[in-house]
């Protein structure tokens, strides 16, 4: 487990106001969390059964087109900073980090295999994470879980980053349907603004809109169009980011 943090305190220091969901007394918040968890388990189970043929086919193709296992695992940071093991269909070479070590994937990354590019485009590589949802490591909706190896690069320049660990990480989420994937620290800072917005405002209505945007994204909707659709009024840059320069 990572060093303990107080997610609520971190959010207060960034936003300058209390966290409504975390501060709410037992009742409403507890009911929402129970309903969200029940929906996660039921929906993830159904999706895993439905997607099993695609997952099996993808695993077979990966296994016979590149060296290494079809399914790989990594340590990620989850709820309350706890480490868990995430599962994905392998889309990179098995020796992807042999030389340069852990680093974010960038557009045109040569470590991604030809089959992996297709899997990533169709998001088939994410299907094993449905098992993480069923296990309770993740939720269907929440901030994307980060690798602990990147924390020394993130924490000094992105104040309040650990506040996103106040909720379970998700397969999809508000930041995922509003801004590009992480490629550097400045991207992380921008996404954090959306992650904290989700932590503060999570509820059925926001959750439904995130699901809707996820479906639109799968069918090719652009991020600018999705930002215009949600119209949350969040600026392009996280004000708390400290430029390394």
């Amino acid at each position: 487990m990572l060093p303990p943090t107080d997610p609520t305190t971190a959010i207060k220091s960034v936003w300058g106001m209390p966290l409504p969901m975390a501060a709410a007394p037992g009742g409403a918040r507890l009911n929402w969390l129970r309903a969200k968890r029940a929906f996660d388990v039921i929906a993830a189970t159904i999706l895993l059964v439905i997607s099993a043929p695609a997952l099996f086919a993808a695993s077979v193709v990966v296994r016979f087109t590149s060296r290494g296992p079809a399914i790989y695992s990594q340590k990620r940071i989850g709820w309350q900073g706890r480490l868990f093991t995430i599962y994905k269909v392998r889309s990179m070479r098995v020796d992807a980090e042999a030389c340069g070590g852990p680093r974010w994937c960038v557009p045109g990354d040569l470590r991604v295999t030809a089959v992996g590019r297709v899997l990533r485009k169709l998001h088939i590589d994410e299907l094993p994470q449905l098992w993480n949802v069923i296990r309770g490591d993740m939720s269907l909706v929440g901030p994307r879980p980060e690798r602990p190896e990147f924390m020394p690069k993130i924490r000094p320049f992105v104040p309040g980053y650990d506040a996103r660990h106040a909720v379970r990480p998700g397969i999809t989420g508000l930041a995922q349907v509003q801004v590009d994937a992480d490629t550097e620290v400045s991207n992380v800072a921008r996404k954090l603004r959306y992650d904290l917005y989700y932590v503060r405002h999570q509820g059925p209505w926001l959750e439904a809109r995130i699901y809707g945007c996820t479906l639109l994204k799968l069918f090719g909707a652009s991020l600018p169009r999705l930002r215009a659709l949600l119209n949350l009024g969040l600026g392009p840059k996280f004000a708390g980011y400290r430029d390394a320069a």
Side-chain angles (χ1 to χ4, degrees), residues 184-239:
E184 57 185 17
V185 176
S186 60
N187 291 70
V188 176
R190 186 182 182 189
K191 288 184 72 174
L192 178 63
R193 191 166 182 85
Y194 291 91
D195 287 337
L196 297 190
Y197 184 95
Y198 173 77
V199 172
R200 290 185 58 235
H201 298 282
Q202 61 175 308
W205 175 231
L206 180 58
E207 204 95 346
R209 289 189 290 167
I210 292 172
Y211 280 122
C213 285
T214 300
L215 288 175
L216 291 174
K217 185 179 178 182
L218 288 174
F219 284 103
S222 66
L223 291 175
R225 184 180 295 274
L226 295 178
R227 283 195 294 271
L229 182 63
L230 288 187
N231 191 27
L232 298 177
L234 298 179
K237 186 173 181 180
F238 175 50

Side-chain angles (χ1 to χ4, degrees), residues 40-58:
D40 279 345
V41 173
I42 295 170
T45 301
I46 294 172
L47 289 172
L48 189 58
V49 171
I50 293 174
S51 63
L55 180 56
F56 176 76

Side-chain angles (χ1 to χ4, degrees), residues 33 40 64 91 114 133 138 196:
L33 293 177
D40 279 345
F64 286 99
S91 60
V133 174
M138 297 176 65
L196 297 190

Side-chain angles (χ1 to χ4, degrees), residues 5-23 29 143 159-167 192-202 238:
T5 58
D6 182 349
T8 302
T9 300
I11 291 177
K12 287 179 180 177
S13 69
V14 173
W15 290 86
M17 61 181 69
L19 175 64
M21 288 297 294
R29 177 173 180 265
Y161 182 81
D162 287 296
R164 67 202 297 276
H165 300 142
V167 297
L192 178 63
R193 191 166 182 85
Y194 291 91
D195 287 337
L196 297 190
Y197 184 95
Y198 173 77
V199 172
R200 290 185 58 235
H201 298 282
Q202 61 175 308
F238 175 50

